[in-house]
């Protein structure tokens, strides 16, 4: 039955990625909301802490989503406008270069700029769909959070009587493992986001608050999140401060990555998923290729699901 449920989920993910993406991200965000909610509940009643956590997390996610694309498009136009106007001098220091090489480089810069501007225009046209997706995500997150208790109480209906006890233990253990991972990642992401935002502010990179929030959100995407947060940071650093700004931006990202890799992940996560880094990378790339953006988020839960299935029902060590 566990494999049947997994097969149904994968089929739905492949043929209806938009709905499944909203559901998965809703579950993911509901886990994120629980982390500050547990903290706030120590100082206020449960209902107020839940409301405050929803407003805080969802508000920051919406802010980052609404800000990201216009900022990248605007800075991208600046960047590629600079590249398109960049020509290599054919006199003095560059006089010894062959004329065909100079022409080739100038044409390459122009073609790259035209391609990038076309890509930016396509992104601009897709913003309404992205905003709609964000709204659906918020609604889904709220609904899943309120239905979690109902789902937990009715989970026993997924298994026949003779396998019910072990099946329920398998499902709950798999969910709790990934939930512990998300809660640990929440703390690590806050530290990374604060570091990037603070360093951006100190080195006068524009939109430092947005860059910190974006780094916090994308830090939940293993290995690939740093690429997403690096795009606007490096673009802003270069368009505002030139080559020096670009070097500073790379230094900030590298330091944050090393801080997380060598200190935050080992200390905070304590091997919550107990998966080798190579397995994590391959699973993300594989599921990303099969299910596009959705695959990045379902990769680790499915790998943990299969690992636990093997330990529960095949070699029976749990």
């Amino acid at each position: 039955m566990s494999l049947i449920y997994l097969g149904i989920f994968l089929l739905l993910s492949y043929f209806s990625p938009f709905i499944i993406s909203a559901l998965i991200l809703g579950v993911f965000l509901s886990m994120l909301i629980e982390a500050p909610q547990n903290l706030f509940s120590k100082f206020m009643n449960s209902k107020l802490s839940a409301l405050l956590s929803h407003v805080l997390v969802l508000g920051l996610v919406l802010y980052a989503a609404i800000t990201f694309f216009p900022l990248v498009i605007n800075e991208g136009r600046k960047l590629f406008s600079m590249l398109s106007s960049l020509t290599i001098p054919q006199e003095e220091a560059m006089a010894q270069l062959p004329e065909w090489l100079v022409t080739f480089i100038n044409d390459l810069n122009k073609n790259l700029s035209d391609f990038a501007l076309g890509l930016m225009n396509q992104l601009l046209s897709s913003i309404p769909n992205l905003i709609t997706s964000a709204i659906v995500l918020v609604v889904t997150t709220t609904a899943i959070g309120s239905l979690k208790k109902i789902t937990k109480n009715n989970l026993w209906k997924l298994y026949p009587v003779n396998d019910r006890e072990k099946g329920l233990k398998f499902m709950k253990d798999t969910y709790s493992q990934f939930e512990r991972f998300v809660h640990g990642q929440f703390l690590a992401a806050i530290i990374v986001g604060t570091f990037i935002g603070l360093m951006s502010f100190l080195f006068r990179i524009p939109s430092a608050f947005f860059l910190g929030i974006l780094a916090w959100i994308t830090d939940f995407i293993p290995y690939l999140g740093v690429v997403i947060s690096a795009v606007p940071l490096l673009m802003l650093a270069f368009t505002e401060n030139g080559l020096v700004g670009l070097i500073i931006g790379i230094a900030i990202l590298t330091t944050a990555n090393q801080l997380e890799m060598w200190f935050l992940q080992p200390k905070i996560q304590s091997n919550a998923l107990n998966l080798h880094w190579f397995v994590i990378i391959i699973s993300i790339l594989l599921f990303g290729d099969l299910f596009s953006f959705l695959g990045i988020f379902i990769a680790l839960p499915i790998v943990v699901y299969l690992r636990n299935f093997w330990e529960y029902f095949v070699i029976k060590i749990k």
Side-chain angles (χ1 to χ4, degrees):
M1 295 301 298
S2 298
L3 288 181
I4 289 175
Y5 299 141
L6 177 61
I8 293 173
F9 172 78
L10 291 176
L11 286 174
L12 291 174
S13 299
Y14 186 80
F15 290 106
S16 185
F18 178 80
I19 301 299
I20 299 300
S21 295
L23 292 173
I24 293 299
L25 290 177
V27 172
F28 194 81
L29 281 177
S30 70
M31 292 181 182
L32 294 184
I33 291 171
E34 287 179 354
Q37 182 177 341
N38 294 335
L39 178 62
F40 294 150
S41 62
K42 297 179 181 179
F43 309 99
M44 58 188 73
N45 64 63
S46 58
K47 291 184 178 180
L48 185 59
S49 63
L51 176 62
L52 183 59
S53 298
H54 276 79
V55 172
L56 177 64
V57 174
L58 295 179
L60 291 176
V61 170
L62 279 176
Y63 164 74
I66 293 173
T67 307
F68 179 82
F69 289 98
L71 187 147
V72 169
I73 291 171
N74 183 52
E75 294 301 316
R77 284 174 173 166
K78 289 182 184 178
L79 174 62
F80 293 109
S81 177
M82 293 168 58
L83 290 177
S84 63
S85 62
L86 179 63
T87 58
I88 297 179
Q90 300 184 29
E91 299 177 355
E92 298 177 355
M94 306 302 294
Q96 297 183 2
L97 283 179
E99 184 177 351
W100 66 266
L101 180 58
V102 175
T103 303
F104 170 78
I105 295 177
N106 288 333
D107 290 342
L108 180 63
N109 283 332
K110 183 64 170 61
N111 293 333
L112 178 62
S113 301
D114 292 341
F115 171 78
L117 287 174
L119 181 61
M120 292 299 174
N121 289 330
Q122 290 182 358
L123 288 174
L124 183 62
S125 64
S126 65
I127 285 179
N129 292 331
L130 294 171
I131 295 176
T132 302
S133 301
I135 296 174
V136 172
L137 174 60
V138 172
V139 175
T140 305
T141 303
T142 306
I144 288 179
S146 62
L147 292 174
K148 182 180 293 187
K149 185 176 181 180
I150 298 176
T151 304
K152 183 178 179 181
N153 293 336
N154 290 275
L155 195 62
W156 61 272
K157 296 179 181 179
L158 295 176
Y159 290 95
V161 176
N162 57 333
D163 291 327
R164 182 167 297 161
E165 183 176 351
K166 197 167 188 178
L168 287 176
K169 189 174 184 302
F170 159 73
M171 285 288 196
K172 291 179 179 179
D173 189 30
T174 301
Y175 180 83
S176 64
Q177 284 181 21
F178 196 73
E179 190 175 44
R180 288 197 303 271
F181 167 78
V182 173
H183 289 175
Q185 190 68 20
F186 180 86
L187 179 57
I190 286 180
I191 297 175
V192 171
T194 302
F195 175 81
I196 290 180
L198 181 60
M199 290 298 102
S200 299
F201 175 77
L202 292 177
F203 287 101
R204 301 189 178 186
I205 299 176
S207 304
F209 178 75
F210 161 73
L211 293 174
I213 296 300
L214 182 65
W216 168 69
I217 295 173
T218 57
D219 195 66
F220 293 99
I221 308 175
Y223 298 100
L224 298 180
V226 65
V227 178
I228 300 175
S229 60
V231 171
L233 193 154
L234 295 179
M235 293 175 75
L236 284 166
F238 181 74
T239 56
E240 295 295 327
N241 302 305
L243 184 59
V244 175
L246 181 63
I247 295 174
I248 292 174
I250 293 174
I252 292 173
L253 291 169
T254 303
T255 305
N257 179 261
Q258 295 301 306
L259 173 68
E260 181 176 20
M261 180 180 297
W262 296 107
F263 179 75
L264 297 179
Q265 288 292 348
K267 296 294 184 181
I268 295 178
Q269 289 296 1
S270 300
N271 298 320
L273 295 181
N274 195 25
L275 292 174
H276 193 275
W277 63 268
F278 182 76
V279 175
I280 294 176
I281 292 178
I282 293 300
S283 62
I284 290 174
L285 293 177
L286 177 62
F287 280 92
D289 188 49
L290 292 174
F291 299 98
S292 189
F293 181 75
L294 172 61
I296 297 175
F297 289 94
I298 67 175
L300 292 183
I302 288 179
V303 171
V304 173
Y305 188 96
L306 290 173
R307 192 266 311 276
N308 286 351
F309 177 85
W310 191 264
E311 294 179 351
Y312 268 88
F313 302 112
V314 180
I315 56 179
K316 298 182 179 179
I317 63 174
K318 289 187 177 182

